[in-house]
Amino acid sequence: MMAVILGGGLGGLSTGYYLLKNGLYCNNLKVCLLEATDYCGGWIKSIRTKDYIFEQGPRTIRPKGPTGLNTLNMMQDLGLSEHVSAITPDHPAAKNRMIYVNKSLHLLPSSLKSVFKKNEPFSKPLIYAALNDLTQPHKSLNEDSIYNFVERRFGKEIADYAISPMICGICAGDAKEISVKFLMKTLFEYEQNHGSVIKGMVKSIFKENNNGNLEMSELAKRAKEERWNVYSLKGGLQIFPKTLMNYLKNKDIDIQLNSKVEELEFVDSSLVKVKKTDGQVLDASHVYSSIPSHVLAKLVNKQHPELAEHLKGIPFVTVGIVNLYFATDKPLVSPAFGFLVPPLENSPILGVVFDSCCIPDQNGTVLTVMLGGRWFNEKFGPDITKEELYNIAMKEIKSILKIEEKVAAFNVSILDKCIPQYVVGHYSRVDKIREYVQSKNLPLSLVGSSYDGVGINDVIYSAKAQVAQDCGQQ
Ligand SMILES: Cc1cc2nc3c(=O)[nH]c(=O)nc-3n(C[C@H](O)[C@H](O)[C@H](O)COP(=O)(O)OP(=O)(O)OC[C@H]3O[C@@H](n4cnc5c(N)ncnc54)[C@H](O)[C@@H]3O)c2cc1C
């Protein structure tokens, strides 16, 4: 029996890891991972020099909740505890997060005290948003956009200045399209079941709070005790997939780089012919697909056009990333995580991360400008060059942060279709995809960021859950 994993990003690597942890089902399963490029890690890519680290994809991981603690367990198991660099609640990157509105930067409230004060650009203290929630009439809905939900419960300003930029920061998306279940499933359920988010919250306080019965490593316990806000990895985040890849290799998982898959031919419920672009065909008893859903759609289209249609229905956005290094002794920006720009501002940039504040071991000021996302095509068109993106980013940096210094080093990447968008209807679409796979008895499991969460923690946790489910069925 051989399981084939498609894709060597964190989704594919985690699947291999959990297959090993589950004793490779009944110990007689061979595992082979096929990765199209010449490295593992997918969107996780770090450029490291003695002076700076440029992260082209993700840079920080949240430690909270069962999924966050689960990732920390994996980190410790891989021997990465010493690399973890935590941002605790007293760190400026935890306290100082800003938004850019009406040509100025505004600190977002970060303490209970600040909720009672008026903070620009909000016209009233945030406590009024709570009153709004308590007084709104009930509206019965199955789903909604996150923007509509927040506007209804807490008012338009919270939807425009808090949630919309947050959605840009998390998935480069438009809060008016993204499902409320993407980020606020529980709050939406409180509204639907109790008539108000706050009433639901108060009732839930009396319910037991657990971490999904997860055993916690020393690292996870530390993160909980010290109330870490987020963390990064010294030396760059790419060390994580690299270490995971070596772990799998050492345990005899066959990792084949430069191996692009172009078609899957399902023969019966325990045989799939996995066809590579170099003409090689592998016989798999089971396939774990961690590649983006729109790529999987092409691989199954011939035999299963209906499945391909559902898979193609998950939209993706393109993000421009401009990493900048200024070799200055004094920091050029105030100590903060960075700032986000609400879509209302109609800016070409989504936000800027102050990497030299949140990632250790940088000699100077390091900034990352994120551009486009949901609005990439309408703002830049399909043919924009890296040079043009760099010029746009520099213009914004100069105007917003008043930086006139010369850039000592930079990197520009255009990450094509890099983040799936969990728009309204996403969860029922994913149910339909899985129902199709089950009804046709296809030996195919779906992991990776297209289905059950777009962040690093979600991708790892969903690989764990999928493997556990498949093992239970053996
Ligand atoms: C700009 C950006 C910033 C982000 N920031 C954060 C952050 O700060 N924190 C956080 O938690 N998350 C963040 N994320 C999300 C995080 O990067 C993803 O959750 C995660 O990397 C997804 O992993 P994956 O394995 O599902 O997909 P991918 O990383 O896309 O991996 C898929 C792999 O499949 C391979 N592949 C594709 N087609 C084929 C084929 N036909 N045959 C074989 N192989 C194929 C690809 O080469 C790739 O290696 C960010 C994402 C982006 C793009």
Side-chain angles (χ1 to χ4, degrees):
M1 292 207 304
M2 180 163 80
V4 170
I5 301 170
L6 309 183
L10 216 42
L13 293 169
S14 307
T15 304
Y17 175 85
Y18 288 112
L19 282 171
L20 285 169
K21 291 287 164 192
N22 279 275
L24 297 179
Y25 298 174
C26 16
N27 288 327
N28 61 355
L29 185 77
K30 285 201 169 98
V31 180
C32 170
L33 184 152
L34 303 177
E35 164 54 44
T37 66
D38 60 358
Y39 72 98
C40 275
W43 296 118
I44 305 178
K45 224 173 169 188
S46 322
I47 298 172
R48 182 186 179 191
T49 73
K50 66 177 186 19
D51 290 321
Y52 59 84
I53 293 169
F54 285 165
E55 294 286 8
Q56 289 166 269
R59 67 209 59 241
T60 50
I61 308 179
R62 286 180 62 79
K64 295 196 176 117
T67 61
L69 296 170
N70 179 62
T71 303
L72 286 163
N73 287 353
M74 188 196 252
M75 292 270 180
Q76 173 157 334
D77 189 38
L78 295 173
L80 287 172
S81 301
E82 297 303 312
H83 287 265
V84 169
S85 168
I87 291 180
T88 47
D90 52 345
H91 192 283
K95 289 192 290 190
N96 304 336
R97 288 174 184 255
M98 296 178 282
I99 51 169
Y100 183 69
V101 173
N102 291 333
K103 302 208 177 332
S104 32
L105 289 169
H106 304 275
L107 263 185
L108 284 170
S110 64
S111 67
L112 189 62
K113 224 165 68 187
S114 55
V115 169
F116 296 94
K117 283 198 255 166
K118 184 170 130 14
N119 303 280
E120 292 273 336
F122 301 98
S123 60
K124 290 185 217 150
L126 292 188
I127 188 71
Y128 281 91
L131 295 179
N132 192 74
D133 173 58
L134 287 167
T135 54
Q136 282 309 299
H138 182 68
K139 190 171 179 189
S140 195
L141 292 166
N142 282 333
E143 206 186 349
D144 206 351
S145 74
I146 194 160
Y147 184 96
N148 278 352
F149 168 74
V150 171
E151 185 185 25
R152 177 168 69 248
R153 299 303 343 157
F154 305 112
K156 185 167 163 38
E157 286 187 350
I158 307 276
D160 281 331
Y161 299 137
I163 293 307
S164 296
M166 193 195 277
I167 291 294
C168 287
I170 296 174
C171 68
D174 184 349
K176 291 182 175 166
E177 296 171 352
I178 300 294
S179 165
V180 62
K181 295 180 189 172
F182 173 64
L183 211 60
M184 299 187 167
K185 187 168 179 277
T186 312
L187 302 191
F188 181 60
E189 283 165 2
Y190 287 159
E191 178 199 45
Q192 292 303 310
N193 298 334
H194 304 285
S196 138
V197 172
I198 291 171
K199 280 185 204 158
M201 273 172 139
V202 171
K203 286 188 185 154
S204 78
I205 291 172
F206 301 105
K207 286 201 181 142
E208 208 183 332
N209 181 14
N210 67 40
N211 287 318
N213 298 325
L214 193 78
E215 277 195 31
M216 286 208 282
S217 60
E218 284 309 309
L219 190 64
K221 283 183 197 154
R222 230 180 81 207
K224 221 174 163 196
E225 274 159 28
E226 295 172 9
R227 298 190 301 121
W228 295 359
N229 189 273
V230 288
Y231 62 96
S232 60
L233 291 182
K234 287 179 199 143
L237 208 59
Q238 203 175 347
I239 206 163
F240 183 21
K242 261 191 191 165
T243 309
L244 189 48
M245 182 189 76
N246 289 331
Y247 177 93
L248 302 186
K249 269 189 178 169
N250 289 337
K251 306 258 178 195
D252 287 336
I253 290 197
D254 177 18
I255 296 189
Q256 299 185 13
L257 300 177
N258 303 306
S259 292
K260 189 170 178 185
V261 177
E262 63 177 3
E263 197 188 335
L264 294 178
E265 186 191 329
F266 295 93
V267 179
D268 58 37
S269 62
S270 57
L271 179 61
V272 190
K273 296 210 169 280
V274 180
K275 300 181 182 176
K276 290 168 45 182
T277 47
D278 62 6
Q280 208 192 338
V281 179
L282 301 181
D283 283 348
S285 54
H286 198 92
V287 170
Y288 285 89
S289 171
S290 79
I291 57 181
S293 48
H294 62 90
V295 181
L296 179 63
K298 289 185 201 138
L299 270 50
V300 300
N301 190 39
K302 217 192 236 173
Q303 268 186 321
H304 297 283
E306 190 186 329
L307 176 60
E309 271 314 301
H310 290 314
L311 289 165
K312 272 192 267 175
I314 300 173
F316 280 70
V317 295
T318 297
V319 178
I321 298 284
V322 178
N323 304 106
L324 302 167
Y325 170 61
F326 301 89
T328 51
D329 293 335
K330 273 199 199 151
L332 297 178
V333 289
S334 58
F337 191 87
F339 67 87
L340 290 164
V341 188
L344 209 62
E345 296 295 304
N346 200 18
S347 164
I349 69 169
L350 299 167
V352 178
V353 183
F354 298 177
D355 291 308
S356 34
C357 181
C358 34
I359 301 178
D361 305 327
Q362 318 248 40
N363 276 331
T365 298
V366 183
L367 306 174
T368 300
V369 187
M370 295 168 298
L371 304 98
R374 170 65 184 83
W375 301 270
F376 194 95
N377 277 334
E378 70 194 55
K379 290 214 190 295
F380 311 128
D383 302 320
I384 185 147
T385 63
K386 289 187 177 181
E387 196 186 344
E388 285 166 331
L389 265 191
Y390 173 80
N391 290 336
I392 295 169
M394 284 311 292
K395 189 171 162 232
E396 296 299 313
I397 284 286
K398 279 186 185 156
S399 130
I400 300 172
L401 296 172
K402 319 283 177 236
I403 292 178
E404 293 299 335
E405 272 72 4
K406 221 172 142 257
V407 174
F410 68 92
N411 184 72
V412 183
S413 335
I414 298 178
L415 310 180
D416 187 43
K417 292 192 177 172
C418 63
I419 309 185
Q421 302 289 289
Y422 288 15
V423 295
V424 174
H426 173 83
Y427 297 90
S428 52
R429 179 178 284 125
V430 172
D431 285 346
K432 275 193 199 128
I433 291 170
R434 291 213 162 97
E435 275 158 27
Y436 183 97
V437 170
Q438 213 184 1
S439 70
K440 302 280 178 204
N441 248 324
L442 306 181
L444 171 70
S445 297
L446 304 170
V447 291
S449 64
S450 303
Y451 313 100
D452 306 307
V454 300
I456 285 175
N457 292 330
D458 307 310
V459 164
I460 295 173
Y461 199 80
S462 62
K464 182 183 186 181
Q466 186 61 57
V467 170
Q469 188 187 327
D470 294 341
C471 287
Q473 286 167 5
Q474 293 303 301

